[in-house]
Amino acid sequence: MNKNLLYRNIPKVDILLENIKIQELIETYGRETVVETIREALESLRAYIKECDAEENALERINSLVSDIEKKVISINTPDIRSVINGTGTILHTNLGRAPISPKHMQYVAEIATGYSNLEYNLEEGKRGERYSHFEKLLCKITGAEAAMAVNNNAAAVMLILNTLGKGKEIIVSRGELVEIGGKFRVPDVMEQSGASLVEVGTTNKTHFADYEQAITEETGALLKVHTSNYRIVGFTDKVSIEELVPLGEKYHLPVIEDLGSGVLIDLSKYGLTYEPTVQDSIRHGADIVCFSGDKLLGGAQAGIIVGKKAYIDKMKKNQMTRALRIDKFTAATLDVILHEYLSEERAIQNIPALHMITESLEDVTKRAKSLQRMLRQMKPKAEIVLEKCESQIGGGSLPLERIESMAVTIKPNCITTAELEERMRHLPIPIIPRTMNDKIILDVRTIEQRFFKTIVQELKESHIFEEKA
Ligand SMILES: *Cc1c(COP(=O)(O)O)cnc(C)c1O
């Protein structure tokens, strides 16, 4: 093999720049990126030839140079965060962005965000307004609280609450409620960052009323309950409910705080799920401050929502820390539009994707699964496409033991391995993230909205995904 001849076959930069395809790329993406990409492509091509021992492979690489450059330039210019199709059946999948927002709600948010808005402008009075005002009344109406606000996420809400009510003081919390929320974040550590010191009472499995009372001293700033979102302590257990804790707080003039984690606003037991204490329950039982996530069971944007007694919320709004934790206009607009859906429970269930997925009947999921199966079979794939019962999970650290009966489209490829298929699905333009079980691809249809069915079929077809060589 004459390597010198191969090197001479590599086009020079000047020649490449005259290529019509390359000129189009420059037109669209700018000269700088294209020239840089050309230089890198040439360098890697030379390195390849140096190592290469089959001439036809080297020639193939030289021939595909322009299209390789094109692919690279397009890839550099494509934003990295993109849509994926969630076939895992985990509804609030934290790695996949938790609660999806409906296109209709997002269209509203897009209108707000693409122009100016009254985010902090009071249109009645023609002067400065408050960014929480837009949904504060609504949150109060829905939850029964006196006042409300929102910050960046629930971890921030916990930190702000404790910093405002417990800085330099002691906060009493049960040992059974010291939660790690994923990504190695521990609620107790977040709490320590607030400047409050935690006083842990009880044991992992049992905490009694007297444990709280005995721990109260001059230094106590508040009593705290944390929802054990992502785990359950079962067996020989005891805990003090919010109803029991509230009178204790009153007796010693201490605020009672509840971190509900998921913060569901609808009693999901009506839809066959395990009863989860709602935010309304907590307020009704007299909690002074309740906080919860905006993108867990609420089904909205990432946020930490704080509701409760006005005197405490006012203090938090004035805390300097609030400025560092504040929500932006995207979040404010998203919360505003989503919370409006909660004015009617039926509307919320219908229009908020996460709630719709959680409550969709097995019958309806099965109907949709059949339709996806039919569409997939029509493309005559080299694979077996079979319906199979499966179980969805809520995810996001909510209702950890809950399993919802669901229907999956399973795929068993004939010419490639299941692992290969899974990898290929992950590399599609709109990646499909399935589960694999018993050497089959499982697509739980509960978390796949109808509008993605066509995309799935088209992608699988165009990528020749079931062929030995894709
Ligand atoms: C999820 C969770 C948090 C953190 O909420 P983010 O919105 O993810 O910051 C805090 N406390 C509890 C109990 C939780 O379940």
Side-chain angles (χ1 to χ4, degrees):
M1 177 167 52
N2 187 340
K3 289 216 173 173
N4 278 334
L5 197 65
L6 281 174
Y7 284 129
R8 255 181 278 138
N9 260 321
I10 302 176
K12 299 273 173 302
V13 178
D14 299 350
I15 303 295
L16 281 168
L17 285 172
E18 277 165 25
N19 181 293
I20 181 85
K21 265 261 167 315
I22 298 284
Q23 289 198 349
E24 274 170 24
L25 286 176
I26 291 174
E27 186 94 359
T28 314
Y29 300 107
R31 195 178 169 87
E32 235 173 36
T33 318
V34 179
V35 172
E36 198 185 308
T37 311
I38 290 175
R39 293 233 155 85
E40 283 167 11
L42 291 179
E43 211 168 288
S44 106
L45 182 54
R46 277 187 212 108
Y48 180 81
I49 291 172
K50 194 167 165 221
E51 299 297 325
C52 185
D53 40 24
E55 191 171 316
E56 65 268 28
N57 290 351
L59 284 172
E60 202 176 305
R61 276 285 295 260
I62 294 171
N63 283 334
S64 67
L65 185 62
V66 170
S67 82
D68 287 348
I69 291 168
E70 187 183 13
K71 273 189 208 140
K72 189 78 200 291
V73 169
I74 291 173
S75 141
I76 290 170
N77 281 282
T78 307
D80 197 58
I81 295 192
R82 41 202 168 126
S83 297
V84 305
I85 289 165
N86 177 8
T88 67
T90 299
I91 295 159
L92 301 170
H93 200 304
T94 299
N95 302 146
L96 303 183
R98 281 204 191 149
I101 313 284
S102 78
K104 191 183 123 220
H105 292 145
M106 223 44 227
Q107 198 183 343
Y108 174 83
V109 176
E111 263 168 49
I112 302 296
T114 48
Y116 297 102
S117 64
N118 62 337
L119 181 67
E120 279 191 359
Y121 188 75
N122 183 327
L123 291 169
E124 289 298 314
E125 295 171 17
K127 57 180 195 198
R128 189 172 204 280
E130 200 190 63
R131 67 177 63 208
Y132 315 112
S133 65
H134 309 290
F135 50 82
E136 180 169 11
K137 273 210 200 83
L138 198 53
L139 266 170
C140 293
K141 188 177 158 75
I142 298 165
T143 64
E146 286 175 10
M149 65 183 293
V151 288
N152 183 54
N153 56 14
N154 193 33
V158 172
M159 188 147 103
L160 176 64
I161 294 166
L162 296 190
N163 181 266
T164 310
L165 304 179
K167 191 177 174 196
K169 297 188 202 154
E170 294 177 351
I171 305 283
I172 300 176
V173 63
S174 160
R175 287 206 171 84
E177 300 178 355
L178 301 171
V179 188
E180 177 170 313
I181 47 181
K184 299 257 154 55
F185 285 98
R186 293 180 163 162
V187 174
D189 294 341
V190 173
M191 290 171 183
E192 296 280 354
Q193 298 291 325
S194 71
S197 55
L198 283 194
V199 174
E200 300 168 15
V201 296
T203 59
T204 307
N205 57 330
K206 282 203 173 201
T207 303
H208 304 285
F209 183 83
D211 294 327
Y212 285 95
E213 183 153 29
Q214 278 159 19
I216 295 175
T217 68
E218 292 280 286
E219 308 300 317
T220 307
L223 306 178
L224 171 69
K225 254 194 91 58
V226 182
H227 191 283
T228 61
S229 313
N230 48 11
Y231 66 101
R232 291 286 178 269
I233 296 175
V234 293
F236 186 60
T237 65
D238 211 347
K239 60 182 181 182
V240 179
S241 69
I242 192 78
E243 298 116 286
E244 294 168 274
L245 215 50
V246 165
L248 188 64
E250 279 167 2
K251 184 171 163 192
Y252 292 93
H253 305 289
L254 293 170
V256 174
I257 304 161
E258 183 162 34
D259 171 10
L260 271 181
S262 272
V264 65
L265 294 174
I266 288 174
D267 176 6
L268 290 175
S269 66
K270 284 189 231 166
Y271 302 89
L273 279 85
T274 313
Y275 170 78
E276 248 311 81
T278 62
V279 179
Q280 292 90 319
D281 288 342
S282 187
I283 292 292
R284 191 155 33 79
H285 290 137
D288 295 286
I289 292 290
V290 179
C291 64
F292 53 98
S293 281
D295 58 353
K296 291 187 184 171
L297 286 173
L298 187 97
Q302 178 190 301
I305 298 172
I306 309 172
V307 299
K309 302 266 158 73
K310 186 168 185 307
Y312 296 127
I313 301 269
D314 281 347
K315 256 187 166 173
M316 288 179 219
K317 284 180 181 167
K318 289 197 197 103
N319 187 332
Q320 290 294 312
M321 199 183 251
T322 298
R323 183 63 169 77
L325 305 176
R326 76 176 187 184
I327 52 167
D328 65 1
K329 60 184 171 186
F330 300 93
T331 305
T334 310
L335 287 178
D336 193 10
V337 65
I338 300 241
L339 285 168
H340 272 88
E341 299 287 10
Y342 280 95
L343 290 171
S344 141
E345 188 174 311
E346 292 84 69
R347 246 178 56 194
I349 296 281
Q350 193 55 44
N351 297 341
I352 298 175
L355 291 181
H356 186 78
M357 287 176 192
I358 291 170
T359 57
E360 189 178 21
S361 69
L362 178 61
E363 197 188 334
D364 287 352
V365 179
T366 305
K367 234 184 258 166
R368 296 197 302 111
K370 277 185 186 153
S371 123
L372 179 59
Q373 182 194 30
R374 206 176 314 119
M375 288 167 75
L376 287 170
R377 279 184 171 170
Q378 265 164 15
M379 64 181 268
K380 304 230 179 310
K382 290 187 176 132
E384 281 159 53
I385 316 275
V386 177
L387 291 191
E388 237 173 76
K389 276 200 173 176
C390 68
E391 288 181 330
S392 317
Q393 311 184 30
I394 309 253
S398 315
L399 295 160
L401 307 181
E402 197 78 39
R403 293 291 178 275
I404 310 172
E405 278 201 301
S406 188
M407 192 55 75
V409 171
T410 71
I411 308 174
K412 172 91 185 134
N414 298 337
C415 311
I416 57 172
T417 65
T418 302
E420 172 73 33
L421 179 58
E422 186 271 338
E423 194 194 327
R424 287 183 189 182
M425 287 171 96
R426 247 190 298 124
H427 287 90
L428 289 168
I430 298 179
I432 301 173
I433 315 293
R435 258 188 297 157
T436 54
M437 217 164 45
N438 302 332
D439 200 28
K440 259 180 294 188
I441 293 286
I442 310 269
L443 292 175
D444 185 337
V445 177
R446 184 176 294 281
T447 48
I448 307 175
E449 290 177 72
Q450 196 81 21
R451 63 194 167 99
F452 293 116
F453 285 8
K454 261 201 191 129
T455 316
I456 294 175
V457 176
Q458 202 172 342
E459 284 197 309
L460 296 184
K461 200 187 250 170
E462 280 170 8
S463 62
H464 304 283
I465 201 158
F466 301 112
E467 306 291 328
E468 229 159 313
K469 252 190 166 180

